[in-house]
Amino acid sequence: MLRNATTQYPILLVHGLFGFDRIGNVELFHDVKQALRTAGARVFIPQLSATHCNEARGEQLLAQIDRVLEGTGVDQVNLIGHSQGALATRYAAAVEPEIIASVTSVSGPNHGSELADFLRKALTPGRLPEHVASTVATLFANFLSLLSGQPDLPQNAIAALNALTTEGVGAFNDKYPQGLPKTWGGKGREVVNGVRYYSWSGTLQGGLVDQGLDALDPLHGFLQAFSHYFTTEAEQNDGLVGRYSSHLGKVIRSDYPLDHLDSLSQTAGPLRKGIDPIDLYVQHAERLRKAGL
């Protein structure tokens, strides 16, 4: 079936923590980007710091949005942010809503991550474990930036961790509440300051048969292990972000059978209950097109 995702405004796919555009032949959003372009969308991948606070990454995003606007001649863009990328897109829309047509959060920690809370408590501020973890994470982020051709991007692993905790995101939300639900687990306003807000996410579900090839994926195994550190959203998380913590604006669905990385790119998704993670992005682009965006 011929798909039509020819949106009025370009789509920017915004990566989260430890994300990148391209390293060698590896592109983080490769499958998503190709599917969207095949369906007619104009797609760009901004490169943000792999580790930093939400505001710093949001400012980097705004600078790259300006370049997209100048290069394409349009006056707005559609932002789709995965994980911490969702917080950068929210910042951009709150600060300069006139250039943002829509914000879509995909597995975004819009109320913080319980895993980040656990790590923050485990890494006592100012003590050696925090220093070692910060140094290792920052060196890794700098290495990613170098390989991706963006060596000048600043990195700050502890700022990123603090920005993803429940407390850190709570402070962020106090300043930038656009699209947030008024009640836990609810939906937020779909349009704020002319910007449309959407979200979707998944949860870890089922046994080995339901998980398909994901059961053999070591990254999926790590996410399964991480999920045990959740208490408020125990059994209602994707390994890194809780289901209800992800809610923003119009909640398309928050319980797809997808782990945190499945929602970024296609792995074994089609083998589990017929969900194709890549097609979710194409469906959403079609949704944006029908909304005149």
Side-chain angles (χ1 to χ4, degrees):
M1 180 178 68
L2 187 63
R3 309 297 292 273
N4 186 355
T6 309
T7 55
Q8 180 176 352
Y9 304 111
I11 293 173
L12 274 66
L13 299 172
V14 184
H15 68 75
L17 187 69
F18 292 121
F20 54 87
D21 175 11
R22 174 194 291 270
I23 293 181
N25 293 325
V26 178
E27 293 182 83
L28 193 66
F29 282 109
H30 178 268
D31 293 341
V32 176
K33 180 177 68 175
Q34 292 302 113
L36 288 172
R37 287 181 172 173
T38 298
R42 292 172 292 174
V43 184
F44 298 88
I45 316 291
Q47 183 66 50
L48 311 184
S49 293
T51 61
H52 220 303
C53 67
N54 303 319
E55 288 87 344
R57 300 179 82 248
E59 284 294 330
Q60 295 168 7
L61 176 58
L62 283 171
Q64 294 181 64
I65 290 172
D66 286 341
R67 290 198 285 273
V68 171
L69 296 180
E70 182 179 355
T72 61
V74 300
D75 56 6
Q76 289 187 317
V77 295
N78 292 300
L79 301 177
I80 301 179
H82 178 262
S83 194
Q84 192 188 10
L87 302 177
T89 65
R90 286 179 49 200
Y91 174 87
V95 173
E96 295 191 36
E98 66 279 0
I99 63 172
I100 311 299
S102 70
V103 163
T104 302
S105 166
V106 178
S107 303
N110 293 305
H111 295 273
S113 167
E114 291 186 68
L115 180 64
D117 292 343
F118 172 81
L119 292 173
R120 179 68 278 178
K121 291 177 182 178
L123 300 173
T124 305
R127 301 293 292 275
L128 182 61
E130 183 197 54
H131 178 71
V132 172
S134 175
T135 300
V136 171
T138 299
L139 286 173
F140 179 63
N142 283 329
F143 181 62
L144 288 177
S145 294
L146 180 64
L147 292 179
S148 63
Q150 300 288 339
D152 297 328
L153 287 173
Q155 308 294 340
N156 191 324
I158 294 301
L161 175 59
N162 291 336
L164 291 170
T165 63
T166 301
E167 181 180 2
V169 178
F172 178 83
N173 288 345
D174 288 342
K175 293 184 287 187
Y176 314 109
Q178 291 85 350
L180 291 173
K182 296 294 184 182
T183 58
W184 180 251
K187 300 180 179 181
R189 289 178 57 190
E190 295 184 20
V191 182
V192 184
N193 296 331
V195 181
R196 288 183 178 268
Y197 287 85
Y198 304 89
S199 63
W200 81 76
S201 60
T203 59
L204 294 165
Q205 299 175 21
L208 294 178
V209 175
D210 292 320
Q211 292 171 21
L213 294 180
D214 255 4
L216 305 177
D217 182 355
L219 292 177
H220 181 73
F222 280 121
L223 294 173
Q224 286 277 10
F226 292 156
S227 70
H228 297 303
Y229 292 102
F230 286 74
T231 55
T232 301
E233 298 200 73
E235 300 183 0
Q236 290 290 322
N237 64 80
D238 64 8
L240 292 182
V241 175
R243 173 185 178 181
Y244 297 121
S245 179
S246 73
H247 284 198
L248 181 76
K250 179 180 176 61
V251 180
I252 297 165
R253 183 176 168 182
S254 60
D255 64 343
Y256 286 113
L258 305 171
D259 69 30
H260 193 74
L261 297 180
D262 283 338
S263 65
L264 171 66
S265 184
Q266 186 172 16
T267 53
L271 301 184
R272 296 198 320 283
K273 300 182 181 179
I275 297 298
D276 180 348
I278 303 304
D279 195 54
L280 296 181
Y281 288 85
V282 178
Q283 290 177 24
H284 189 56
E286 293 175 326
R287 185 179 294 113
L288 295 176
R289 180 186 65 81
K290 291 177 181 177
L293 305 177

